[in-house]
């Protein structure tokens, strides 16, 4: 969880989970959304990810694949250019070539489960190591949302990017990556680039980006 960079200062997919953490954070994706992504949902050239399906884990342990619970959840989100190299590398190293292949899988090739992710990522140990033992996976999305909000975008555009529903959901979820959402994506890019430069100039670096939801 600490540093997904090579010496060049660019973000790279050092492990099968690096790309997952980056997309969850900087594209504001929920757990069920990101684990349901396939190759067909990523448009690297356009720099977008399409959210059309989500996994829900029932109390019985059964994983159910279906559309997001609200229309606003179905959306196209811009991917910051700073993390594109990591996503490309992940696709090359860890994802099958078929369009329907899952982007992130468990050790046996099936959908990723929270328990499997926590074990593979050593989540609790890593969280304790950086001094935030109460950190949850959802806090990655929370961090990305905070950065997006800091871009100065209007509430409606932020709601669209985050997949939140309201009375105007039918209009909002159709909003594709253009206009205000492009500005949000570019603002996140600037934040990432500035953070990477600061880390290169000072090995101690500024405080991390993660913001516990409390």
């Amino acid at each position: 969880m600490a540093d997904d960079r090579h010496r060049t200062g660019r973000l790279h997919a050092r492990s099968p989970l690096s790309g997952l953490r980056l997309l969850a954070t900087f594209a504001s994706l929920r757990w069920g959304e990101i684990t349901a992504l396939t190759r067909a949902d990523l448009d690297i050239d356009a720099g977008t990810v399409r959210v059309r399906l989500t996994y829900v884990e029932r109390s019985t342990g059964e994983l159910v694949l279906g559309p997001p619970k609200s229309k606003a959840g179905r959306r196209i989100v811009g991917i910051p250019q700073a993390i594109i190299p990591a996503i490309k590398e992940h696709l090359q190293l860890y994802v099958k070539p078929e369009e329907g292949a899952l982007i992130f899988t468990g050790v046996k090739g099936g959908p990723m489960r929270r328990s499997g992710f926590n074990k593979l990522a050593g989540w609790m140990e890593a969280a304790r190591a950086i001094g935030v033992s109460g950190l949850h996976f959802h806090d990655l999305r929370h961090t990305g949302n905070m950065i997006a909000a800091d871009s100065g975008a209007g509430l409606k555009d932020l709601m669209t990017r985050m997949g939140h529903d309201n009375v105007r959901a039918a209009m909002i979820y159709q909003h594709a990556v253009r206009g205000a959402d492009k500005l949000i994506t570019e603002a996140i890019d600037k934040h990432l680039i500035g953070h990477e430069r600061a880390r290169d100039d000072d090995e101690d670096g500024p405080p991390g980006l993660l913001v516990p939801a409390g």
Side-chain angles (χ1 to χ4, degrees):
M1 251 186 350
D3 192 353
D4 291 303
R5 300 181 304 156
H6 283 168
R7 292 181 181 179
T8 59
R10 298 306 299 274
L11 294 163
H12 288 265
R14 288 187 171 185
S15 81
L17 302 178
S18 297
L20 186 151
R21 292 191 294 261
L22 290 169
L23 272 181
T25 305
F26 301 112
S28 295
L29 299 182
R30 300 176 177 88
W31 172 261
E33 295 170 347
I34 198 167
T35 54
L37 292 178
T38 68
R39 272 189 178 270
D41 297 317
L42 282 178
D43 189 334
I44 296 299
D45 293 334
T48 63
V49 57
R50 175 182 56 171
V51 179
R52 59 189 178 89
L53 294 170
T54 184
Y55 272 113
V56 175
E57 186 170 354
R58 293 179 173 171
S59 58
T60 59
E62 179 187 8
L63 285 177
V64 179
L65 181 65
K69 62 181 181 180
S70 71
K71 289 183 176 181
R74 297 177 57 187
R75 63 200 188 278
I76 298 176
V77 181
I79 305 173
Q81 288 297 309
I83 72 171
I84 291 292
I87 303 306
K88 284 184 176 180
E89 186 177 339
H90 177 88
L91 290 172
Q92 293 169 356
L93 295 177
Y94 305 115
V95 185
K96 294 179 180 180
E98 295 81 13
E99 286 291 287
L102 288 172
I103 303 298
F104 305 105
T105 65
V107 292
K108 295 183 179 180
M112 176 75 72
R113 292 177 178 269
R114 287 179 184 270
S115 57
F117 170 81
N118 289 338
K119 183 177 180 180
L120 289 173
W123 183 267
M124 294 179 65
E125 295 80 4
R128 281 196 296 267
I130 61 175
V132 282
S133 57
L135 190 73
H136 300 285
F137 182 86
H138 185 76
D139 293 322
L140 300 179
R141 170 176 154 86
H142 178 67
T143 297
N145 288 349
M146 292 290 289
I147 297 171
D150 195 45
S151 70
L155 178 61
K156 176 181 172 181
D157 297 306
L158 289 172
M159 296 287 280
T160 302
R161 183 177 182 88
M162 299 172 193
H164 288 174
D165 203 359
N166 62 23
V167 295
R168 295 180 297 276
M171 176 178 63
I172 293 174
Y173 91 94
Q174 294 177 349
H175 179 79
V177 179
R178 63 181 185 270
D181 191 66
K182 184 173 184 295
L183 293 177
I184 295 173
T185 304
E186 291 173 351
I188 293 175
D189 250 330
K190 291 178 182 178
H191 185 96
L192 283 172
I193 293 169
H195 182 69
E196 291 298 310
R197 286 174 179 169
R199 289 290 295 272
D200 288 341
D201 293 340
D202 181 357
E203 286 300 319
D204 290 333
L209 291 175
L210 298 177
V211 181

